[in-house]
């Protein structure tokens, strides 16, 4: 297949449309990821509050069960994150397609010069459009990546905090048990 003027013009017109639709879809996907993240953070805070006041085995079991729902939230976000990554790759591909088509149309001796157009103007348009597409493609990718890393850091911190509070709860329960076993019961004879 050879590059032709109609083909390059079509690619230069269609690729940004596909890119724009992908960008809207990426935003919707990220909204779902953020909703899952917010729910995970809410559940984690609730579980951390619950385990801080645990004083028996049943409460500890319930707190641990609640914490597993926090892990399920992370797994719930995985398909959306994978879809986000796929759309990001497609968006970058569309930017490259647009830049290639515009480069071909703008090259010296290409169809623009044959028609008498100034090649410098074509190159300027190519650079402006390429810079714009790259910027508006990479900015959300960088922002989402930074937010994802922060979210992972917060989740890791909450897991450590839960483990610490869980250990404290186990210590409280063990101390309570040993205190109860050390107390003389009402049925034992007093000396």
């Amino acid at each position: 297949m050879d590059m032709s003027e109609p083909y390059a013009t079509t690619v230069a017109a269609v690729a940004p449309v596909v890119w724009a639709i992908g960008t809207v879809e990426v935003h919707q996907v990220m909204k779902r990821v953020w909703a899952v993240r917010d729910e995970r953070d809410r559940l984690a805070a609730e579980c951390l509050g619950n385990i801080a006041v645990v004083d028996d085995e049943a409460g500890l079991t319930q707190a641990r069960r609640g914490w597993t729902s926090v892990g399920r939230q992370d797994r719930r976000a995985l398909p959306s994150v994978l879809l986000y990554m796929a759309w990001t790759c497609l968006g970058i591909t569309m930017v490259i397609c647009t830049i290639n088509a515009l480069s071909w149309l703008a090259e010296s001796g290409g169809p623009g010069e044959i028609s008498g157009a100034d090649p410098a103007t074509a190159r300027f348009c190519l650079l402006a459009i390429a810079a714009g597409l790259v910027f508006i493609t990479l900015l959300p990718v960088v922002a989402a990546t930074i937010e994802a890393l922060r979210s992972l850091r917060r989740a890791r911190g909450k897991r450590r905090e839960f483990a610490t509070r869980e250990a404290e709860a186990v210590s409280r329960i063990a101390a309570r048990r040993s205190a109860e076993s050390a107390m003389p019961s009402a049925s034992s004879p007093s000396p």
Side-chain angles (χ1 to χ4, degrees), residues 111-187:
E113 190 174 56
I114 293 169
S115 67
D118 180 19
T121 304
R123 279 190 290 280
F124 174 78
C125 291
L126 166 67
L127 291 174
I129 291 170
L133 286 172
V134 167
F135 181 76
I136 58 179
T137 299
L138 292 182
L139 182 64
V141 169
V142 169
T145 301
I146 289 170
E147 178 56 34
L149 292 173
R150 285 180 183 160
S151 180
L152 287 173
R153 219 174 295 126
R154 275 195 315 269
R156 207 174 302 128
K158 294 207 185 281
R159 280 193 293 272
R160 280 193 298 267
E161 186 178 352
F162 184 83
T164 301
R165 289 191 183 184
E166 182 181 27
E168 290 169 355
V170 168
S171 296
R172 276 194 312 270
I173 292 168
R176 190 170 141 235
R177 266 200 216 121
S178 58
E180 287 174 353
S181 64
M183 286 177 75
S185 64
S187 61

Side-chain angles (χ1 to χ4, degrees), residues 10-70:
T10 302
V11 169
V14 172
V17 172
V18 174
W19 173 88
I21 292 168
T23 301
V24 170
E25 181 62 26
V26 163
H27 184 67
Q28 294 303 318
V29 167
M30 289 314 295
K31 277 184 171 180
R32 288 192 297 268
V33 170
W34 293 328
V36 169
R37 179 208 56 207
D38 292 345
E39 179 65 14
R40 181 202 63 214
D41 289 349
R42 186 193 67 74
L43 283 171
E46 184 180 303
C47 289
L48 289 170
N50 290 344
I51 200 157
V53 296
V54 163
D55 61 350
D56 61 359
E57 286 292 329
L60 182 60
T61 302
Q62 182 64 28
R64 286 176 177 159
R65 194 174 306 126
W67 189 253
T68 60
S69 64
V70 173

